[in-house]
């Protein structure tokens, strides 16, 4: 946007990046942190921020912050009592166009709306784009916000490896980060009075209610675990069936055990979405199979029980096949309820908006442990997410940005000292 051109539309902003990271093999978009597509999106975001005369900085953990200074003394980048909005630019493999970028584009459009309304406040506003929200490259979801909030040991983060065996330290350094400095940033968090993340809805709640925008209430507790099953690599033709120690057979049993353990508990979800056989040949019995379990439930104890049951079944199956199995927790976050006071203020601004919970994880959920956070969801007519079928109609995207602008204006106008 420019003063002359007026507020940008969310659809127009997303249109500018629609071809970035299209995945011809998987379908949809693959935008992995610090790979070409995500780096292009980061450049796009910086350029959009500069067009709006926002002050851009990349923090020690690779999040990009675009500041609209407040009018108070020292009201520039990083000044206290900030209101922050934003989301992420990375995606799952073969994901949709809206999970993450909708929140960033809506935030930019909301800045334009505030400019057009002449809103100038003592409080500064920042738009943030977090890296590796999906954990699609290095395995830990919300890695950027976890580092910021001290929810992951920086040494562990530095050592995380992508599918090609490259460490986070190596990749992030290649993207210009000083990886010795990654880690908690309490001073930055102390300067933020509220974080509001807008996100495409990842279910059918708003479709069923006939509403364009909802206020988030909570995030389902969720975690990721890696099973590593080892057996004996061998020839698919010469190895008789009784002589095999095939880890893929165990992996298949673990997939079914996960489904069975989850259906035994109302509201539990368990998914195996990634299975990697080593070496991975059609005529080769694998020597090892790694598979990743994503399990979720509102109650931490139930999630633990579901995972324990799957582990029990995995051990039994491995023993029966002459294999060995190990289980490693890669990340976990318990159920998060967003800040009641902040969400209440959102409800005053948006009295028509229903209140919905979500089964999806978000940076807002990680930051909720440190600062007041809230979320807005924009209607998704398919109800599908983490898939190219994810959708958001142009009118709803604009309604979401307008709702975000209304909320930000209200929060920005709160006298400093009232958080
Ligand atoms: C992220 O979208 C997740 O819920 O895993
Ligand atoms: Mn996602
Ligand atoms: Mn997301």
């Amino acid at each position: 946007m420019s003063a002359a051109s007026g507020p940008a539309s969310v659809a127009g902003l997303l249109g500018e990046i629609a071809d970035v990271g299209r995945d011809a093999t998987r379908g949809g978009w693959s935008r992995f942190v610090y790979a070409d597509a995500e780096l292009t999106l980061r450049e796009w975001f910086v350029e959009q921020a500069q067009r709006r005369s926002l002050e851009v900085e990349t923090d020690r953990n690779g999040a990009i912050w675009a500041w609209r200074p407040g009018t108070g003394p020292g009201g520039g980048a990083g000044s206290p009592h900030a209101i922050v909005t934003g989301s992420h630019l990375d995606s799952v493999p073969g994901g949709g166009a809206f999970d993450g970028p909708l929140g960033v584009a809506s935030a930019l459009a909301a800045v334009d709306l505030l400019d057009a309304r002449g809103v100038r406040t003592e409080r500064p506003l920042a738009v943030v784009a977090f890296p590796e929200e999906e954990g699609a490259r290095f395995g830990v979801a919300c890695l950027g916000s976890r580092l910021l909030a001290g929810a992951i040991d920086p040494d562990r983060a530095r050592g995380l490896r992508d599918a090609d065996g490259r460490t986070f330290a190596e990749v992030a350094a290649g993207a210009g980060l000083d990886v010795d400095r990654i880690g908690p940033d309490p001073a930055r968090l102390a300067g933020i009075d509220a974080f509001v993340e807008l996100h495409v809805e990842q279910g059918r709640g708003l479709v069923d209610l006939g509403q364009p925008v909802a206020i988030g209430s909570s995030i389902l507790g969720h975690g990721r675990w890696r099973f590593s099953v080892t057996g004996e690599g061998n020839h698919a033709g010469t190895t008789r069936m009784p002589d095999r120690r095939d880890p893929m057979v165990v992996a298949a049993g673990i997939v079914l055990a996960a489904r069975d353990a989850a259906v035994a508990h109302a509201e539990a979800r368990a998914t195996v979405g990634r299975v990697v056989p080593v070496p991975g040949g059609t005529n080769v019995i694998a020597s090892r199979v790694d598979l990743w379990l994503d399990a979720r439930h509102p109650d931490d104890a139930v999630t633990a029980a579901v995972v324990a049951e799957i582990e029990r079944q995995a051990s039994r199956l491995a023993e029966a096949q002459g294999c060995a199995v190990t289980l490693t927790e890669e990340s976990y976050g318990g159920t998060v309820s967003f800040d009641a006071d902040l969400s209440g203020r959102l409800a005053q601004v948006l009295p028509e908006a229903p209140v919905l919970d979500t089964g999806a994880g978000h940076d807002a959920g990680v930051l909720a442990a440190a600062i007041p956070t809230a979320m807005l969801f924009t209607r998704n007519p398919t109800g599908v997410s983490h898939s190219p079928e994810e959708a958001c109609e142009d009118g709803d995207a604009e309604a979401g940005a307008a709702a975000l602008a209304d909320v930000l204006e209200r929060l920005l106008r709160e006298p400093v000292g009232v958080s």
Side-chain angles (χ1 to χ4, degrees), residues 90-404:
D90 61 299
S91 78
V92 295
F98 300 96
D99 179 351
L102 181 70
V104 175
S106 299
L108 292 168
V111 168
D112 291 348
L113 290 169
L114 295 175
D115 285 347
R117 294 176 192 175
V119 175
R120 281 285 154 199
T121 59
E122 199 178 344
R123 290 174 180 277
L125 170 68
V127 178
V128 61
F130 284 107
E132 185 68 333
E133 190 269 358
E134 299 289 3
R137 182 160 186 185
F138 292 100
V140 175
C142 300
L143 185 58
S145 53
R146 276 180 201 264
L147 282 164
L148 167 63
I152 184 169
D153 180 348
D155 276 337
R156 182 174 167 231
R158 279 185 277 268
L160 293 170
R161 286 182 190 277
D162 68 10
D164 296 328
R166 299 184 68 204
T167 62
F168 177 74
E170 186 186 341
V171 170
L177 216 62
D178 178 353
V179 290
D180 291 337
R181 291 187 65 245
I182 65 170
D185 196 345
R188 178 174 296 275
L189 290 170
I192 301 172
D193 279 356
F195 175 61
V196 181
E197 179 172 358
L198 179 146
H199 205 278
V200 67
E201 202 207 341
Q202 297 173 282
R204 295 188 51 84
L206 283 167
V207 175
D208 292 346
L209 292 165
Q211 290 280 343
V213 178
I215 296 167
S217 57
S218 63
I219 291 179
L220 194 63
H222 58 287
R224 298 180 184 189
W225 292 260
R226 185 181 74 250
F227 284 95
S228 231
V229 190
T230 45
E232 183 181 54
N234 214 329
H235 194 289
T238 59
T239 317
R240 296 182 312 141
M241 298 311 279
D243 297 339
R244 297 178 179 215
R245 295 197 290 121
D246 184 349
M248 187 58 87
V249 173
V250 179
I254 293 173
V255 173
L256 297 175
R259 193 270 317 270
D260 293 346
V263 297
H265 300 271
E267 294 190 78
R269 287 126 208 214
T271 306
V272 177
R274 185 171 162 218
V275 179
V276 178
V278 178
T282 305
N283 54 352
V284 181
I285 299 166
S287 56
R288 189 178 91 229
V289 176
D290 293 329
L291 60 162
W292 282 262
L293 168 72
D294 177 311
R296 310 188 187 211
H297 190 276
D299 181 342
D300 291 354
V302 175
T303 309
V306 166
V307 175
E309 172 58 16
I310 301 166
E311 185 178 17
R312 241 189 322 276
Q313 295 302 330
S315 300
R316 184 184 63 73
L317 291 157
E319 194 180 337
Q321 297 299 322
C323 294
V325 61
T326 60
L327 176 63
T328 309
E329 181 182 298
E330 295 200 330
S331 63
Y332 188 74
T335 293
V336 170
S337 293
F338 292 118
D339 187 85
D341 172 63
L342 180 60
S343 298
R345 280 186 278 160
L346 266 60
Q348 286 168 6
V349 177
L350 306 171
E352 307 292 316
V355 176
L356 295 177
D357 60 15
T358 178
H362 300 285
D363 293 307
V366 172
L367 296 182
I371 54 174
T373 68
M375 287 193 77
L376 293 175
F377 299 127
T378 304
R379 176 163 51 192
N380 171 352
T382 64
V384 174
S385 189
H386 285 183
S387 150
E389 304 308 316
E390 184 180 271
C392 181
E393 287 174 3
D394 292 357
D396 287 348
E398 303 320 322
L404 180 62

